[in-house]
Amino acid sequence: HVQLVESGGGSVQAGGSLRLSCTASGSPYGIAWFRQAPGKEREGVAGIDRDHNAYYADSVKGRFTISRDTSKNTVYLQINGLDPVDTATYYCAASSWYGGPMFTSTYYQYWGQGTQVTVS
């Protein structure tokens, strides 16, 4: 069983930056960030596998950067150029399965509690 602890959310002005962190209790194969805005479906925004291959949703390419520190079992999501449309609860998700669709929520067995990002 993998436990995930997220941190780094907050309230920022448009154009600002945030770095979200997700620390896992183990070393899952794939870790991704999803977000869910009020009234909208949860969507995958960035994912990274154990080989450090990174994947991004088209809507965030160029602004979001995902990275992984294997020694700390931590994945980071650097968000630049924040826009009010980025306002959402951001969730970290982890999967122990090799491969799989990074932005499909059913691929992931473990979820964090979520961290709020509010952009005004």
Side-chain angles (χ1 to χ4, degrees):
H1 184 75
V2 176
Q3 291 184 318
L4 303 171
V5 178
E6 301 136 330
S7 62
S11 296
V12 297
Q13 292 187 337
S17 299
L18 282 174
R19 188 177 80 158
L20 308 183
S21 299
C22 172
T23 300
S25 59
S27 182
Y29 178 80
I31 297 181
W33 286 95
F34 285 73
R35 67 183 181 185
Q36 187 167 21
K40 294 189 176 181
E41 293 187 356
R42 188 173 298 188
E43 63 170 344
V45 294
I48 190 166
D49 62 28
R50 197 178 287 163
D51 297 321
H52 296 263
N53 296 307
Y55 305 87
Y56 299 96
D58 288 342
S59 59
V60 305
K61 283 180 180 177
R63 297 192 300 120
F64 287 27
T65 303
I66 191 169
S67 60
R68 184 167 184 166
D69 186 334
T70 305
S71 67
K72 297 180 180 180
N73 287 335
T74 298
V75 169
Y76 303 98
L77 184 67
Q78 178 69 38
I79 309 175
N80 298 324
L82 278 159
D83 186 277
V85 299
D86 297 316
T87 295
T89 301
Y90 285 71
Y91 297 91
C92 176
S95 177
S96 297
W97 300 338
Y98 177 82
M102 271 286 175
F103 297 146
T104 298
S105 59
T106 52
Y107 169 61
Y108 297 93
Q109 301 87 53
Y110 312 104
W111 292 82
Q113 78 284 359
T115 186
Q116 180 67 35
V117 172
T118 303
V119 185
S120 59

